[in-house]
Amino acid sequence: MAAPFDIDTPLGTPRTGCVCEEPGHVPAARRVRAAVSAAGETYRVTGVDGDVVLATRHDGTPARWWVHDPAPFAEHARTVDPTVRLHDGGVVRVGSRYRSVATDGVASPCVEGVVRPTGTRYAFLQRALPLDPTLVAVFPHTASLYRLDPPMRTRSGRYDHVVVLAEHTEAGGLTRIFPADAEARMSPGDLPGSYGGGTDHVEALNRAGYEVVLEPVPSE
């Protein structure tokens, strides 16, 4: 088992930011499919200014694009033919890759979401739990037991197992992560990842920095 990580440290705290998995934002697949089947509008990349790409449209009109990673555009501007095509949805092909640009200076080309802590962390689904009779009369709910690898560690302690409880409330739901033992006996106190406005176990555990997976099948 991997060593526990401290979710209260700067590296362990979930935050909101660009969640693309490779340098430079990659546009959504549906936008790439649309770009491949369309002609696009021709521009010449002339350089970059900070995170802004400077370009000139085919009719001579200057343009400015805001990007996540300007380096590929700067490199392309130095090539013999710095021509690119801008497609609907802000998709531009630079070299062999499609990238997103924002053409209005307001919209961000980045996907905003919860950035998980570095490293691979798994929440193994152990089993769904029966309805808690103390909650049945209050809110419909679902609950499951998960084993964490590595364990979560906060200022309050180290947790190898958690129960995720999602309550379907009139306000849109409440999903909480509770400390638990291997028998699903819960302890009080919400853990990081708990959130209001939804009833998604996976979302809560992702917010805590874990990917939800099933226990591996034992080899015979």
Side-chain angles (χ1 to χ4, degrees), residues 5-7 11-15 114-123 148-152 177 191-194 201-212:
F5 78 101
D6 187 349
I7 201 167
L11 286 180
T13 303
R15 59 187 176 83
V114 174
V115 177
R116 287 187 250 170
T118 57
T120 302
R121 299 183 173 88
Y122 296 118
L148 303 182
D149 183 13
M152 183 191 300
I177 301 177
L191 292 175
S194 302
H201 290 200
V202 174
E203 172 70 15
L205 288 163
N206 283 173
R207 287 171 179 248
Y210 287 89
E211 178 183 351
V212 178

Side-chain angles (χ1 to χ4, degrees), residues 85-103:
R85 292 184 181 274
L86 175 66
H87 303 274
D88 289 344
V91 175
V92 174
R93 180 174 175 178
V94 183
S96 61
R97 296 193 44 203
Y98 288 94
R99 299 180 183 273
S100 285
V101 302
T103 58

Side-chain angles (χ1 to χ4, degrees), residues 6-96:
D6 187 349
I7 201 167
D8 289 325
T9 65
L11 286 180
T13 303
R15 59 187 176 83
T16 298
C18 182
V19 295
C20 60
E21 295 192 2
E22 48 189 315
H25 177 65
V26 179
R30 59 182 175 80
R31 291 186 176 179
V32 172
R33 287 194 295 268
V36 169
S37 60
E41 194 168 18
T42 304
Y43 287 79
R44 289 177 64 86
V45 177
T46 58
V48 300
D49 181 11
D51 61 352
V52 177
V53 173
L54 307 177
T56 303
R57 199 166 65 181
H58 56 82
D59 61 1
T61 303
R64 293 164 63 87
W65 301 332
W66 285 257
V67 299
H68 173 71
D69 180 10
F73 292 89
E75 182 178 350
H76 191 66
R78 295 191 293 267
T79 62
V80 175
D81 182 12
T83 302
V84 296
R85 292 184 181 274
L86 175 66
H87 303 274
D88 289 344
V91 175
V92 174
R93 180 174 175 178
V94 183
S96 61

Side-chain angles (χ1 to χ4, degrees), residues 61-199:
T61 303
R64 293 164 63 87
W65 301 332
W66 285 257
V67 299
H68 173 71
D69 180 10
F73 292 89
E75 182 178 350
H76 191 66
R78 295 191 293 267
T79 62
V80 175
D81 182 12
T83 302
V84 296
R85 292 184 181 274
L86 175 66
H87 303 274
D88 289 344
V91 175
V92 174
R93 180 174 175 178
V94 183
S96 61
R97 296 193 44 203
Y98 288 94
R99 299 180 183 273
S100 285
V101 302
T103 58
D104 58 7
V106 177
S108 170
C110 297
V111 174
E112 295 296 318
V114 174
V115 177
R116 287 187 250 170
T118 57
T120 302
R121 299 183 173 88
Y122 296 118
F124 291 98
L125 174 62
Q126 303 288 279
R127 66 180 186 276
L129 302 176
L131 297 180
D132 184 340
T134 65
L135 291 174
V136 169
V138 183
F139 298 117
H141 65 281
T142 59
S144 293
L145 173 68
Y146 297 86
R147 177 176 65 84
L148 303 182
D149 183 13
M152 183 191 300
R153 184 176 62 217
T154 71
R155 293 185 179 92
S156 303
R158 163 184 164 143
Y159 308 103
D160 296 87
H161 292 82
V162 295
V163 167
V164 181
L165 174 66
E167 301 174 35
H168 299 257
T169 68
E170 294 180 357
L174 176 64
T175 303
R176 292 180 289 175
I177 301 177
F178 291 101
D181 62 16
E183 302 303 318
R185 288 185 289 263
M186 298 164 52
S187 300
D190 295 9
L191 292 175
S194 302
Y195 75 103
T199 57

